[in-house]
Amino acid sequence: MTNLHPHAPLRVALVGLGTVGGGVIRLLQTNGNLIARRAGRTIQVAAISARDRNKDRGVDLSPYEWVDDMTTLAAREDIDVVVELIGGADGPALTLARQCLAAGKPFVTANKAMLAHHGLDLAALAEKTGIALKYEAAVAGGIPVIKGLREGAAANEISRVYGILNGTCNYILTTMEKEGRGFDDVLKEAQELGYAEADPGFDIDGVDAAHKLTILASLAFGTELDFGNVAVTGIRDVIAADIAEAAALGYRIRLVGVAENGPDGLFQRVHPMLVPTDHPLAHVDGSLNAVVAEGNFVGRLFFQGRGAGEGPTASAVVADLIDVARDEYGDAFAMPVAALSLQKPADAGRRIGRSYLRFKVQDRPGVLAEIAAATRDAGVSIESMIQRGANQQDGVLMAIVTHAGEERCICETLDRLAGSDSLLGTPMVMHILD
Amino acid sequence: MTNLHPHAPLRVALVGLGTVGGGVIRLLQTNGNLIARRAGRTIQVAAISARDRNKDRGVDLSPYEWVDDMTTLAAREDIDVVVELIGGADGPALTLARQCLAAGKPFVTANKAMLAHHGLDLAALAEKTGIALKYEAAVAGGIPVIKGLREGAAANEISRVYGILNGTCNYILTTMEKEGRGFDDVLKEAQELGYAEADPGFDIDGVDAAHKLTILASLAFGTELDFGNVAVTGIRDVIAADIAEAAALGYRIRLVGVAENGPDGLFQRVHPMLVPTDHPLAHVDGSLNAVVAEGNFVGRLFFQGRGAGEGPTASAVVADLIDVARDEYGDAFAMPVAALSLQKPADAGRRIGRSYLRFKVQDRPGVLAEIAAATRDAGVSIESMIQRGANQQDGVLMAIVTHAGEERCICETLDRLAGSDSLLGTPMVMHILD
């Protein structure tokens, strides 16, 4: 426990004053009285720190003490909790986290990358000093899904947790879907509108979603964080025709992070999936996020809300501060680090499911027979096939939906076709959410 | 604080052994090891009590001490927490709650009726002795929405909270919708299947949903519980034709509990509403529940899951027990009782919105003119109207959707038509969710 005196203000040092940091200040200014009623005490920004003091952030920072050297914060007795909004898996954020937690200073962060890579070490530090390490804002923005898993669903053995964890990807995919446009075109617009970064790789290649999935999996299953074993595919290779074919078959395409735990091990994957239109995830549009958890007593829980942006992320950061102010917190990953189990990664090839395969092929006799033979020899059973020619500039598209089967058979199909001069470009494989 | 020693088992007395009570026992038996890892200690059923000792409940009760007189539990030092699953606003449940809370015995309940009527008194007792009063299972079954509002959205000023809070009503309405059947027919089937009580009034007249809404409103707004000012209309008067007309207009009918807080006061209503098909509530089918909260920073949060039944409700009860075991709890209604504000009820007549009116009328000239005149004179502006004759046994149906306007104008329309012999039966009014 820390030196929090009931009813004394909770004095916060805020490190990092980007969009979210500004949002936290605005939120505390706007809702301060209500928050004090709920938290039982005032939550007060006592000190701020960021790289550039002179940048205009559109919020009045004059009431707050500016701290040039954030490494002094951990030792300050007039600071009750440090909020880290710098980002980055390593570097200054990690240094600050380690300093604070080792010194027994409660720590709130939105830093999913740091947690995915160093969460266990940080949780162990927090455990040793008995203080809070909170990170509701790290996953799914304003949606209280960390709390939902850590506490709300805590009575359940959870077999699967999955969701739409990256708003940029979801915005791009749903805009492609609604407007029939191509990936590059929509990405460019998203960058111009500020919905995607100038360097978008972190989002569109699925890395951000993989960080979040790593955290969710640990909370859901009571397993150690294992970012290294998340299989990641982003959305760069989804083309307009995939979305159209999927729609014709009764599916929408979403970037889905899926984690499953069972006797075969821990399975973690981020990839674009075909989601049946009657599944709630198919209706998660634009920059919304959503998370589904399936528990053995509660059944399917579904959480949806705004997954990014100033307001929602600030809402989650301040929710953590309220928990700290109320003295309602415990182990960061729902149990002591030593109680988390080390689960072996599952063999994806043994997973049973249906898949979508799309080939771009030469428009000439024999190609269909070649692909059909490869699927047959690999043991893949075909449920439906669409071939469309004519309007493709180069070659024709062939889309296949398989019956349920082992995923390794899909890989074998592709291996059998590798190097064939019938194929134009790399085939696209997406699995179907059941 | 109570006499909870870290790492000692949490000893639970379970009072009431119906469906949910049996579920709690089964859950603790099934997931006991995992729960102990998460809670940091074993959660142990130490004593049980119910009206009838000899009833077969399909679960082995022999390991547990049977207590004939539950009024002895509050004083027992070998019980750490009492779980009340008897139900009923008053009577034995309330007596037990008062005894336990006054004696400083942590108390977990699923009893929405008791909380809606006596929640403030009970919270004040818990506050005085500094112990937990927890009730996640009282609203929306397994969905952690009490936690979502009390903690997850705590940084927000919430303007509106609403949702589908009664699974029986939702099952009936969605079955009517999917199968085109009438209310009485579906209700009878639901009773035969055990989805509706033999005496279904509590559910289908909206009282159960009103209890839950009262609790949500207090948590969302920081206002005192005010069950007496919930306007309640159930689903008995929804006919198959309403559902068909609503569908033709792009809506589905759901029993929605809505609470709003603002300068005009606190508005609370449970009634069947027309929900646009692109709203998430329109996709909440069968016995699912869902809750939406709209906060000034987080935006719209949406929670969905199973709202009743043994497994989901037990999941919520045990989540509360885990919070108690972890020592992570505080004020029952998110702030001290004295900090809750007493908000005046809002004048529903001043609310602006669109409405659906359905009349059953005589099939004769002049009726349309009479209704049109009444709406005009009451200041109601009509957006669309459908009249269907022919296949109605007696009279014809006329369905009107209004433009946005004050609700008092709708009341005035009905007043103007009251007593008219053109009308067959009472007109049906449903408001439209915006």
Side-chain angles (χ1 to χ4, degrees), chain B residues 133-211:
Chain B
L133 165 60
K134 304 270 300 171
Y135 53 89
E136 185 64 72
V139 181
I143 311 172
V145 67
I146 299 300
K147 188 172 280 289
L149 290 175
R150 184 187 178 278
E151 300 157 33
N156 290 266
E157 183 166 313
I158 293 174
S159 51
R160 182 160 74 147
V161 61
Y162 59 105
I164 293 172
L165 302 172
N166 184 275
T168 303
C169 287
N170 209 55
Y171 172 82
I172 292 174
L173 289 173
T174 57
T175 303
M176 288 172 70
E177 175 186 301
K178 282 181 184 21
E179 302 178 7
R181 291 160 62 196
F183 174 80
D184 293 331
D185 180 25
V186 175
L187 171 61
K188 188 156 167 283
E189 185 189 80
Q191 288 171 316
E192 285 161 8
L193 293 170
Y195 297 162
E197 306 284 335
D199 176 3
F202 208 65
D203 289 315
I204 66 174
D205 293 328
V207 182
D208 174 72
H211 288 147

Side-chain angles (χ1 to χ4, degrees), chain B residues 2-343:
Chain B
T2 180
N3 58 338
L4 302 178
H5 309 292
H7 308 304
L10 184 80
R11 296 160 300 179
V12 178
L14 200 56
V15 182
L17 293 168
T19 308
V20 179
V24 169
I25 290 175
R26 251 183 293 270
L27 198 169
L28 290 171
Q29 286 173 351
T30 309
N31 293 351
N33 289 337
L34 179 62
I35 289 169
R37 284 165 65 206
R38 290 200 174 121
R41 52 206 289 205
T42 309
I43 297 182
Q44 200 173 79
V45 176
I48 54 176
S49 181
R51 224 164 14 192
D52 179 0
R53 182 168 187 169
N54 298 313
K55 190 170 159 191
D56 179 13
R57 295 176 168 92
V59 56
D60 180 13
L61 299 177
S62 62
Y64 314 117
E65 179 198 338
W66 181 272
V67 174
D68 277 316
D69 180 5
M70 64 177 176
T71 65
T72 60
L73 292 170
R76 277 180 58 166
E77 300 214 339
D78 60 344
I79 298 293
D80 298 310
V81 54
V82 171
V83 175
E84 180 271 309
L85 301 169
I86 314 171
D90 302 284
L94 183 61
T95 304
L96 182 66
R98 285 183 172 146
Q99 280 185 330
C100 288
L101 296 171
K105 185 72 71 197
F107 194 74
V108 172
T109 178
N111 191 330
K112 55 223 86 169
M114 179 174 76
L115 290 166
H117 287 279
H118 307 291
L120 289 186
D121 291 350
L122 297 177
L125 280 175
E127 213 174 300
K128 202 182 287 176
T129 49
I131 49 103
L133 165 60
K134 304 270 300 171
Y135 53 89
E136 185 64 72
V139 181
I143 311 172
V145 67
I146 299 300
K147 188 172 280 289
L149 290 175
R150 184 187 178 278
E151 300 157 33
N156 290 266
E157 183 166 313
I158 293 174
S159 51
R160 182 160 74 147
V161 61
Y162 59 105
I164 293 172
L165 302 172
N166 184 275
T168 303
C169 287
N170 209 55
Y171 172 82
I172 292 174
L173 289 173
T174 57
T175 303
M176 288 172 70
E177 175 186 301
K178 282 181 184 21
E179 302 178 7
R181 291 160 62 196
F183 174 80
D184 293 331
D185 180 25
V186 175
L187 171 61
K188 188 156 167 283
E189 185 189 80
Q191 288 171 316
E192 285 161 8
L193 293 170
Y195 297 162
E197 306 284 335
D199 176 3
F202 208 65
D203 289 315
I204 66 174
D205 293 328
V207 182
D208 174 72
H211 288 147
K212 295 168 179 168
L213 184 68
T214 304
I215 296 168
L216 292 181
S218 173
L219 282 170
F221 308 136
T223 49
E224 292 189 5
L225 294 149
D226 186 14
F227 176 69
N229 283 305
V230 186
V232 188
T233 310
I235 62 166
R236 284 184 200 265
D237 296 330
V238 177
I239 60 175
D242 290 323
I243 292 176
E245 300 301 354
L249 294 161
Y251 300 96
R252 291 182 184 148
I253 297 177
R254 298 285 184 271
L255 184 72
V256 181
V258 181
E260 290 178 13
N261 193 34
D264 299 334
L266 174 62
F267 172 76
Q268 299 176 99
R269 179 158 65 190
V270 171
H271 63 162
M273 293 190 83
L274 269 64
V275 178
T277 48
D278 64 355
H279 190 287
L281 287 190
H283 302 278
V284 178
D285 289 340
S287 63
L288 287 176
N289 279 17
V291 174
V292 181
E294 293 170 350
N296 63 341
F297 277 75
V298 75
R300 184 199 273 177
L301 284 176
F302 179 71
F303 303 85
Q304 179 182 300
R306 291 170 62 198
E310 176 184 323
T313 313
S315 167
V317 168
V318 178
D320 280 347
L321 291 173
I322 293 173
D323 277 352
V324 173
R326 287 170 166 169
D327 217 9
E328 298 176 14
Y329 61 84
D331 297 318
F333 291 97
M335 57 182 76
V337 171
L340 294 167
S341 60
L342 179 59
Q343 177 67 296

